[in-house]
Amino acid sequence: MSSVYLDNNATTMVAPEVREAIMPLLGEEYGNPSSMHRLGGKSGLFLSQAREKIAAGLGCDSDEIIFTSCGTEGDNTAIFSALESQPEKKHIITTRIEHPAVLNVAKHYERKGYSVTYLGVDSKGHFNIDEYRAAIRPDTALISVMYANNESGVISPIEEMVDIAKEHDVLFHTDAVQAVGKIPIDLKKLPVDYLVLSGHKIHAPKGVGAMYLRRNTPFRPFMLGGHQEHGRRGGTENIPGIVGLGTAMELAVKHIDDENTRVRAMRDRLEKGLMAAIPDSIINGDTAMRLPNTLSIAFKYIEGEAMLLMLDQFGICASSGSACTSGSLEPSHVLRAMGVPFTYAHGSLRFSLSTYSTDEDIDIVLKELPPIISRLRQMSPFRRGDEGLDWVDDHDH
Ligand code: PLP
């Protein structure tokens, strides 16, 4: 059975070109870029070439790029750096819909005595800009807002939010893990201070990421160690991963039009087809300001996990929320923040496509999912309203 992989916001397959670029680094090209011999020098060259490719893809200079191990490390580093470099400021602004890589760092600093403002969203997943503006204080050290949400795909008004932050001279970090490769990003036009990306979301392997650090932005290393990354991130560089990330970024630039035309059209066909075939279904979040590859759709009176298991029997891979929260049966914090009714939130599925998705993938989901929903609804005690089992329309559970 061939696999229909529509879970690309969780992770992506390593692109064949990326695999090919990495192979020599797992073989004869094993030098340490810090070594003073020819083998080390070649690794140093691979490192700087990859850095150039990331910088070209983002529209910045290569010395503004720091390689990391993942998106989580980048987010931690950016927040740590902003706070440690301004110890007199004790206020952070972030949002209720961030990834745990940001939310848990904010909570950590809250426990250490910081005050944190968590901006909410409306039912479409949008922030209230007046509320945002009013939250900025003289002691605000950092504003951290994700570029696009991993579950709903809703894109934040980053340009406007950065402009407001800059009017108040506040540092701005954006977690762009889900945005890079899906929508164009040009750092020449976007004065964020820190931007974070992750390799495994853009067809590079796991275990590598990068962060952009705007020139002259205060920085304190999160990983203390050697002189690597100009003393900004100690530890011998993951050269195979970094080379893979460089190639993946080149491919992302090449595929960005495809993401926004063909991939978007496939996602829209999936959305329309499912909405037409399955009654009592809703889209989570705004459908206009949304990543072209993401569909978060909710079916009333269904358990997301039951759908996932049945889809899996047809080789269809999707997600019932963010990959990181699908281990729990609680509706995700993102769906709760949007106020998705409880009876729907439980039955939410996220399909996330990539440039490797095909029309056939969409056909298979459109054929297999509607009967799965009918079957599950017939079995559902919630639908039948069995005594004591009726679900409550209360998203604060
Ligand atoms: N930020 C967002 C928005 C994500 O979706 C993810 C991964 O799901 C991360 C951060 C964490 O990235 P990584 O898995 O590379 O640590």
Side-chain angles (χ1 to χ4, degrees), residues 147-148 155 178-185 256 260 264 290-292:
Y147 210 120
I155 300 169
Q178 294 292 346
V180 171
K182 294 169 190 155
I183 50 175
I185 294 179
I256 198 93
N260 286 278
R264 181 188 294 276
R290 186 172 44 154
L291 294 174

Side-chain angles (χ1 to χ4, degrees), residues 9-10 69-73 75 98-99 101-102 146 148-150 175-178 196-201 208 322-324 350:
N9 288 7
S69 64
C70 59
T72 301
E73 184 191 326
D75 287 334
E98 297 300 308
H99 188 273
V102 168
M146 68 199 325
N149 185 267
N150 42 308
D175 171 342
V177 165
Q178 294 292 346
V196 165
L197 63 96
S198 173
H200 74 102
K201 309 285 186 181
V208 66
S322 108
C324 315
R350 180 190 67 187

Side-chain angles (χ1 to χ4, degrees), residues 153-201:
V154 173
I155 300 169
S156 307
I158 287 294
E159 288 89 351
E160 192 181 359
M161 293 178 106
V162 175
D163 283 349
I164 294 170
K166 292 297 135 192
E167 279 167 22
H168 294 81
D169 218 11
V170 180
L171 292 176
F172 198 100
H173 157 240
T174 188
D175 171 342
V177 165
Q178 294 292 346
V180 171
K182 294 169 190 155
I183 50 175
I185 294 179
D186 185 359
L187 288 170
K188 284 194 282 303
K189 298 189 188 134
L190 184 73
V192 291
D193 298 287
Y194 314 91
L195 178 142
V196 165
L197 63 96
S198 173
H200 74 102
K201 309 285 186 181

